Amino acid sequence: MNEHLREALELVALGVPVLPLREGKGPFGNCLACAKNKCGGRPNMKSAGGCQCPLPCHAWAAATTSVDVITSAAWSAAWRKSAAVAYHPGGVGVTVVDLDNTEAVAWARETLPATRTVPTTRGEHWIYLGTMQSANGVRPGVDIKSLMAYARWLGRGEGQMIRLPETVTGLPRHVVPAGAMASSPVSRTAWSREVASGCRHTERYVRTGLDKGVAMVISQREQGAASQAFGVARFLGSLHQECPGPCALETLGGEIVAAAVSVGVPETYAVRAVDRGFAEAGIPVPSTQMA
């Protein structure tokens, strides 16, 4: 058992979904049967499919908390060649702001609220409690890794982890970064007073409810995520029945959709479930479908 597998087992015992990384910090490539997405993709990829490959294929989607899988013969060669251990931040309900150089770290210290930090080779990871859509290049040297993404495990870090603030959720607001990784979904507008000027709730109240709802959705890894997304949308919608509006519920719906997609629900099905949930709460909203 090498050090990376030993470290992976320690993380799995804590409920953290892990995968091995090769030299260069990238995931191992898909096997021949899955190359160029011939298998249709794992069930928890953006495009649902029937991949039953025992190897660590499909990047972040291979992350698992199964001891049987990570210690299997199929994974053993990958661990022997591994250079690091990665994890799926969204799978444990956190968001990693990946600061890739000293300039990015300096920007974060001036701009973002302090939270748990982990030193990296060239910069730092700032870890917040709560999930959001992942996006690369939200500003120079800054990536966001949460749902449908992986991050290197570099230790527990230091500092008190705080709730995901709007200063982070708003980073991908205006542009979809050119050359974003295939694992990074399209960016959406984040919920804020700018887009919800008629809501009677505080931002903290809305974000807390959304974080809890997203966590409930992504906990349904085997089945039931779409039904859970419907229930979360219906509940959140009911909380806004007395607001004068606009409440920008489509932005909340977008995050619920992204959470459902991250655990294998086809996007169109997730969109339909969330839209039906809002409609049943008596608040029809514009479609939450991804661009």
Side-chain angles (χ1 to χ4, degrees):
M1 184 183 299
N2 66 26
E3 61 176 311
H4 296 137
L5 176 54
R6 185 178 296 108
E7 189 172 46
L9 287 169
E10 293 174 356
L11 292 173
V12 165
L14 298 174
V16 180
V18 299
L19 71 152
L21 295 182
R22 56 177 171 76
E23 292 289 344
K25 302 184 295 185
F28 284 85
N30 290 357
C31 68
L32 292 178
C34 298
K36 298 182 179 179
N37 210 35
K38 288 185 292 188
C39 66
R42 284 182 182 265
N44 56 344
M45 293 291 283
K46 181 177 178 181
S47 298
C51 174
Q52 298 297 319
C53 180
L55 296 170
C57 289
H58 301 291
W60 71 270
T64 179
T65 56
S66 170
V67 172
D68 290 341
V69 171
I70 69 171
T71 60
S72 67
W75 281 50
S76 61
W79 288 120
R80 286 195 297 270
K81 299 176 182 177
S82 63
V85 178
Y87 70 107
H88 177 207
V92 284
V94 301
T95 292
V96 177
V97 180
D98 184 4
L99 307 166
D100 202 35
N101 52 49
T102 55
E103 291 80 6
V105 172
W107 166 83
R109 290 175 180 172
E110 293 179 358
T111 309
L112 304 181
T115 188
R116 181 174 298 178
T117 61
V118 181
T120 67
T121 305
R122 297 177 296 182
E124 292 178 353
H125 284 174
W126 286 36
I127 306 177
Y128 293 93
L129 184 62
T131 61
M132 62 180 288
Q133 295 171 83
S134 301
N136 290 336
V138 294
R139 59 172 290 111
V142 181
D143 297 331
I144 294 176
K145 300 178 178 181
S146 186
L147 299 172
M148 302 174 69
Y150 68 87
R152 280 189 302 157
W153 176 260
L154 297 168
R156 293 177 179 271
E158 297 182 354
Q160 180 66 41
M161 193 184 308
I162 68 167
R163 285 273 175 188
L164 187 62
E166 197 278 334
T167 47
V168 174
T169 60
L171 286 173
R173 181 173 299 162
H174 300 298
V175 295
V176 178
M181 292 174 57
S183 61
S184 297
V186 175
S187 301
R188 300 175 190 270
T189 301
W191 195 95
S192 71
R193 283 296 165 203
E194 295 177 22
V195 295
S197 57
C199 184
R200 64 189 179 92
H201 301 294
T202 65
E203 181 176 327
R204 181 178 180 182
Y205 179 87
V206 173
R207 289 299 316 182
T208 298
L210 178 63
D211 287 347
K212 289 180 178 179
V214 166
M216 292 169 66
V217 173
I218 64 176
S219 70
Q220 306 296 318
R221 290 189 174 92
E222 299 299 327
Q223 59 181 358
S227 296
Q228 189 71 70
F230 165 80
V232 170
R234 181 176 59 183
F235 174 73
L236 292 180
S238 69
L239 298 179
H240 294 264
Q241 288 177 336
E242 298 181 8
C243 294
C247 292
L249 293 188
E250 66 274 15
T251 64
L252 302 183
E255 295 198 43
I256 302 170
V257 168
V261 168
S262 77
V263 291
V265 179
E267 182 183 325
T268 53
Y269 191 25
V271 169
R272 189 160 59 246
V274 170
D275 285 351
R276 283 196 304 108
F278 282 135
E280 188 158 312
I283 306 181
V285 298
S287 176
T288 55
Q289 187 164 0
M290 288 183 176

